[in-house]
Amino acid sequence: TGQLTGTDWSTFNNKASTTSPTFSGVVTSQGSIVAQQGVQFNTTAYFDAEYSNGSTTTAGGTAINWNNGNKQFLGMASTTAVTFTAPPAPCNLVLRLLQNGAGSKVITWPTTLWSGGSILSTGANKTDVASFYYNGTNYYGMLSTDFV
């Protein structure tokens, strides 16, 4: 009938703490998990995927939608202007960029407050990593270049 019986109540009552539940193994959710007072990890927290935006094909522009993930990839097959779709809240973001075999591709960034510069390496097959802190309004960026 969809209702708990007295036997069900006895079976399930006080089996899980509502104030501090403990889980073991993998916890999976079909929707968002919202923590009202923070989340503590006793080991390592990580994202298990890097979203691929594929490779640029025109200088017309490339949209990076941060709602697809905090870690993303963009192949530099042509010079391009990049736009960002803001994530829903303040967070850290990483964009890995890979020059193609010819190299020398240039990127025009959206409004970003940079520390140390925003010019990509130009060597063939070089990887650069742009790291951003988004505070809900501004992007603060740092660019690490010339990874082989």
Side-chain angles (χ1 to χ4, degrees):
T1 64
Q3 298 175 338
L4 292 176
T5 65
T7 303
D8 294 331
W9 175 254
S10 298
T11 301
F12 295 114
N13 189 28
N14 297 318
K15 297 299 181 192
S17 168
T18 58
T19 57
S20 185
T22 300
F23 303 99
S24 62
V26 176
V27 178
T28 306
S29 170
Q30 296 299 317
S32 297
I33 297 174
V34 178
Q36 298 297 319
Q37 296 182 352
V39 177
Q40 178 180 345
F41 297 96
N42 293 327
T43 57
T44 302
Y46 65 92
F47 297 92
D48 63 352
E50 175 186 73
Y51 179 82
S52 178
N53 290 285
S55 293
T56 60
T57 55
T58 67
T62 301
I64 303 295
N65 184 343
W66 290 115
N67 294 297
N68 291 328
N70 291 50
K71 292 183 179 183
Q72 297 198 26
F73 166 80
L74 179 62
M76 298 298 296
S78 66
T79 293
T80 192
V82 170
T83 58
F84 290 160
T85 299
C91 59
N92 297 316
L93 307 162
V94 177
L95 179 61
R96 183 172 61 93
L97 302 133
L98 174 64
Q99 290 279 356
N100 70 0
S104 299
K105 305 306 183 271
V106 177
I107 194 166
T108 302
W109 297 100
T111 301
T112 302
L113 303 168
W114 290 99
S115 173
S118 62
I119 298 173
L120 299 182
S121 58
T122 57
N125 301 309
K126 291 288 187 168
T127 296
D128 299 334
V129 177
S131 301
F132 303 94
Y133 173 72
Y134 176 69
N135 70 354
T137 303
N138 297 306
Y139 291 94
Y140 297 86
M142 293 176 53
L143 185 63
S144 300
T145 60
D146 279 330
F147 292 96
V148 177

